[in-house]
Amino acid sequence: MKVFISGNIAPVGLKQLEENNITITQWKENRQITAEELIDACKDQDALVSVGPNKLNAGFLNACKHLKVIALHSVGFDQVDLDAAKKLNIPIGNTPGVLSAATADTAFLLMLAVSRKAFFSHKKIIQGEWKNYEPSPELGIEVKGKTLGIFGLGKIGLEMAKKCAAAYQMKVIYHNRSHNEEAEKEIDAEYVSFETLLAQSDVLSIHTALTPETKDKFTIDIFKQMKPNSIFINTARGGIHNEKDLITALEEKIIWGAGLDVTNPEPMDKDNPLLAMENVAVLPHIGSATEETRAAMAKIIVQNVVAGLKGEQLPFEVK
């Protein structure tokens, strides 16, 4: 059996695939593979490990309907046409659970970096602008005792909420399609309407999937319903916020700050005005980028690939 891997995965994954007598072909170029190149690469393969933002749409799936399994190097699956995959009987696997802690760490990092204008202050050192002590430079704000709002309180959102409640005694409110009883019992999280979430959150952290309902959810009209001293954090998907509207909201002081691990589009242009704002922190989609998490993801990918090649139920299948 043969598998094509469209990017880099942890060495443990490659080793385990080889131990299962699976022949590996891997994309090695320092650029994202194009749609046409991906189709061509998969023509003689039995499985695909999709790394990065490859669009696995109906066109790709119909061109590669011989694939026995597609394993995603992510928990998100918005890049896949699941209806087309189902019609073609191509099972899709993802990597849920194992990246929750690492991604929540990134959200927590961004919250603190924004609240203290850390990235902006660091740039001043690099630019030679740290000349003397100033008692009142560009001041940050404290998060202790403030209200954390979570939009999409699943595993990652709950990890973020636990950190904020424990470290800074933050009150946690959230909005989901349904109640998260675990969070309500464990950290006294309060379910609220979306409108209340916007109105009461001092920090609003996004942890929902990108769906037709959440795409471009955060527009200027939504930002106007948030507190003027609030911080917007997005470590989920860039498509959930309208980036032009976010820029406007920050420039016009409709909200206080923003921390992004995901942007719209990705990668972000180096001249994006967000990168020059003192109350903004941007990271290049590193949410799960730890050695431990990437190794765990690779092991799940192997489980999905091996099961799919055997015609068995994927242990982590997207339904």
Side-chain angles (χ1 to χ4, degrees):
M1 291 292 185
K2 298 186 289 186
V3 61
F4 178 73
I5 305 175
S6 65
N8 292 318
I9 67 171
V12 64
L14 300 176
K15 181 181 178 182
Q16 289 184 357
L17 287 169
E18 290 172 345
E19 288 173 351
N20 280 275
N21 298 313
I22 298 171
T23 302
I24 298 169
T25 303
Q26 192 170 12
W27 180 256
K28 294 287 190 179
E29 294 194 34
N30 188 28
R31 63 177 177 85
Q32 185 64 37
I33 190 170
T34 68
E36 293 77 15
E37 288 169 333
L38 186 60
I39 290 173
D40 188 60
C42 289
K43 282 182 178 178
D44 62 346
Q45 302 293 308
D46 300 294
L48 165 66
V49 174
S50 181
V51 183
N54 304 307
K55 296 296 183 184
L56 308 183
N57 54 24
F60 168 82
L61 293 167
N62 278 290
C64 298
K65 55 188 175 183
H66 60 281
L67 291 173
K68 294 178 172 64
V69 59
I70 295 175
L72 306 177
H73 187 267
S74 66
V75 65
F77 48 84
D78 50 276
Q79 70 274 38
V80 184
D81 187 331
L82 293 179
D83 290 335
K86 187 175 181 179
K87 289 177 183 177
L88 294 167
N89 293 314
I90 304 174
I92 309 294
N94 66 342
T95 60
V98 295
L99 47 69
S100 299
T103 305
D105 282 347
T106 302
F108 191 84
L109 166 67
L110 286 168
M111 178 184 72
L112 293 182
V114 172
S115 70
R116 297 302 300 271
K117 303 185 179 180
F119 285 23
F120 179 77
S121 297
H122 178 68
K123 289 175 188 174
K124 291 178 69 175
I125 301 173
I126 296 172
Q127 294 163 358
E129 296 174 10
W130 187 14
K131 301 295 185 182
N132 57 282
Y133 173 72
E134 296 181 49
S136 298
E138 295 82 3
L139 297 176
I141 56 176
E142 297 183 18
V143 296
K144 185 175 182 178
K146 300 289 180 68
T147 297
L148 170 70
I150 301 284
F151 183 60
L153 188 58
K155 292 180 179 180
I156 299 173
L158 180 54
E159 288 292 327
M160 171 64 167
K162 287 178 182 178
K163 296 176 193 299
C164 293
Y168 292 112
Q169 297 77 55
M170 297 180 75
K171 176 185 177 182
V172 178
I173 61 176
Y174 74 99
H175 181 74
N176 274 8
R177 285 182 291 183
S178 59
H179 285 256
N180 186 324
E181 295 181 0
E182 179 186 355
E184 292 175 4
K185 291 177 181 177
E186 190 167 350
I187 55 172
D188 201 26
E190 179 186 354
Y191 178 89
V192 297
S193 68
F194 183 61
E195 292 72 21
T196 300
L197 184 80
L198 298 174
Q200 294 187 3
S201 297
D202 296 302
V203 177
L204 180 52
S205 194
I206 310 305
H207 299 285
T208 189
L210 178 61
T211 66
E213 291 74 27
T214 62
K215 182 176 174 58
D216 270 336
K217 180 76 171 178
F218 286 83
T219 61
I220 193 65
D221 290 336
I222 297 300
F223 291 125
K224 285 179 178 179
Q225 297 178 55
M226 294 172 60
K227 289 183 176 183
N229 63 342
S230 64
I231 294 173
F232 176 79
I233 304 292
N234 190 0
T235 56
R237 285 288 186 266
I240 295 170
H241 68 260
N242 182 300
E243 203 143 290
K244 290 183 179 179
D245 285 1
L246 177 59
I247 292 169
T248 299
L250 291 161
E251 288 177 338
E252 297 183 4
K253 302 186 186 307
I254 294 168
I255 62 173
W256 191 86
L260 307 175
D261 186 45
V262 290
T263 60
N264 187 14
E266 288 187 11
M268 175 181 273
D269 188 279
K270 66 180 180 64
D271 296 320
N272 190 304
L274 289 170
L275 296 174
M277 293 183 184
E278 65 185 63
N279 50 346
V280 174
V282 182
L283 293 170
H285 206 151
I286 64 165
S288 62
T290 67
E291 293 181 4
E292 295 85 352
T293 297
R294 291 294 166 85
M297 291 171 70
K299 291 176 183 178
I300 287 179
I301 285 169
V302 173
Q303 293 178 53
N304 283 331
V305 169
V306 171
L309 292 177
K310 291 180 178 178
E312 299 173 353
Q313 175 75 41
L314 272 56
F316 300 93
E317 185 170 353
V318 178
K319 298 293 187 180

